[in-house]
Amino acid sequence: MTSTIVEPVPSGLANELGGRLRDWLPAVVVFFLAIALWQGLTTAFHVQTFLLPKPSDIASSFWENKSPLWHAGLYTFKEAAGGLVIGSGLGILAALVLARFRAIGIGLMPFAIAANAIPIIAFAPITNNWFGLLNPVSKMAIAAVLCFFPTMVNTLLGLTSVSPSSIELMRSYGGGEAATFRHVRIPNSLPYMFTGLKISAVLSMIGAIVGEYFGGPTNALGVSILNDTQLFDFPRAWAGIVLASAFGLSLYAIVAVVEHYTTSWHPSARAFTRE
């Protein structure tokens, strides 16, 4: 008879997994309670489909149309991911420049705030004219505009919210501006930067969908949702909305995973783990 040796799970890993399950359990319970309440109320009060379809009808419509909806979702997801990379990359670059040259930052910040105050819906027809109605770059541009400001502002906050004693210590060792940025400002900005990136991850999907509402290929998710509402196929339209939300959450999750492995050394991350 052969015996199997079971390796014990390290206590630290077990505690971490248990803590994560406890963190997610309330959200999962609330989610299923909300779906059950939604189903029950729409059934009990005979709510018309064009007002609010039942979750069961939405799930059935998604299953029947899963292939075209999935391909449309992937197409829009690529647009959103491209906009996230472009907008966030430019936002981080701008934050580095503004943190290095404070006078320029003080002069340009009001214009950046004013540009962010413009409704994103106003950019969609313009970017479609610039890059072409069927060109995915036009939707990436809209998503990039949405992603730029949150990433830039949060990264700039992290770059400038450095303890004066840390700056003085670097200077006492003869460190210049480049060394100060590399060893002090940039590491300090990472938690702030990822906060902006997580906000931008969700906004990027919204920007791509909004851009597609003003025109795009038929295999785009925003166009599919718009066409379904015009054809009064509301369960399928809601299925597209749910899928768009799922892709937005997946972008958020990707950023959160990268944050976990990038900033695990930071004191704020260790404090959160201990809690």
Side-chain angles (χ1 to χ4, degrees), residues 70 77 84 201-202 205 243-257:
W70 181 256
F77 177 81
L84 175 63
V202 179
M205 199 68 189
L243 184 60
S245 301
F247 275 117
L249 289 174
S250 67
L251 278 174
Y252 180 97
I254 291 170
V255 174
V257 170

Side-chain angles (χ1 to χ4, degrees), residues 23 26 32 55 73 110 119 152 166 182 213 238 243 251:
D23 292 339
F32 282 105
M152 187 268 287
S166 299
R182 185 168 63 253
Y213 268 39
W238 274 88
L243 184 60
L251 278 174

Side-chain angles (χ1 to χ4, degrees), residues 183-230:
H183 296 293
V184 178
R185 293 192 184 276
I186 292 178
N188 183 78
S189 71
L190 289 179
Y192 298 86
M193 182 188 74
F194 276 106
T195 298
L197 286 174
K198 285 187 285 189
I199 296 172
S200 299
V202 179
L203 291 176
S204 64
M205 199 68 189
I206 296 174
I209 293 288
V210 169
E212 291 169 353
Y213 268 39
F214 287 87
T218 55
N219 62 331
L221 188 58
V223 176
S224 175
I225 295 171
L226 183 61
N227 291 339
D228 291 335
T229 56
Q230 292 174 343

Side-chain angles (χ1 to χ4, degrees), residues 153-166:
V153 168
N154 282 277
T155 305
L156 182 60
L157 180 62
L159 290 170
T160 54
S161 300
V162 178
S163 171
S165 60
S166 299

Side-chain angles (χ1 to χ4, degrees), residues 59-220:
S60 176
S61 180
F62 176 80
W63 183 255
E64 293 171 359
N65 303 277
K66 58 182 179 296
S67 181
L69 282 174
W70 181 256
H71 286 93
L74 283 176
Y75 182 89
T76 304
F77 177 81
K78 293 175 184 177
E79 294 176 337
L84 175 63
V85 171
I86 295 170
S88 299
L90 292 176
I92 294 170
L93 180 62
L96 290 170
V97 173
L98 297 180
R100 176 62 181 87
F101 304 100
R102 298 294 183 86
I104 297 177
I106 294 173
L108 291 181
M109 188 59 68
F111 296 98
I113 296 173
N116 186 67
I118 300 174
I120 193 61
I121 198 172
F123 281 113
I126 296 173
T127 56
N128 284 338
N129 289 331
W130 283 353
F131 301 103
L133 192 66
L134 303 180
N135 192 338
V137 177
S138 63
K139 283 64 180 179
M140 290 182 188
I142 300 171
V145 171
L146 277 178
C147 297
F148 175 83
F149 193 76
T151 306
M152 187 268 287
V153 168
N154 282 277
T155 305
L156 182 60
L157 180 62
L159 290 170
T160 54
S161 300
V162 178
S163 171
S165 60
S166 299
I167 302 297
E168 292 174 5
L169 181 62
M170 285 296 298
R171 289 174 179 171
S172 68
Y173 283 108
E177 283 293 334
T180 302
F181 264 80
R182 185 168 63 253
H183 296 293
V184 178
R185 293 192 184 276
I186 292 178
N188 183 78
S189 71
L190 289 179
Y192 298 86
M193 182 188 74
F194 276 106
T195 298
L197 286 174
K198 285 187 285 189
I199 296 172
S200 299
V202 179
L203 291 176
S204 64
M205 199 68 189
I206 296 174
I209 293 288
V210 169
E212 291 169 353
Y213 268 39
F214 287 87
T218 55
N219 62 331

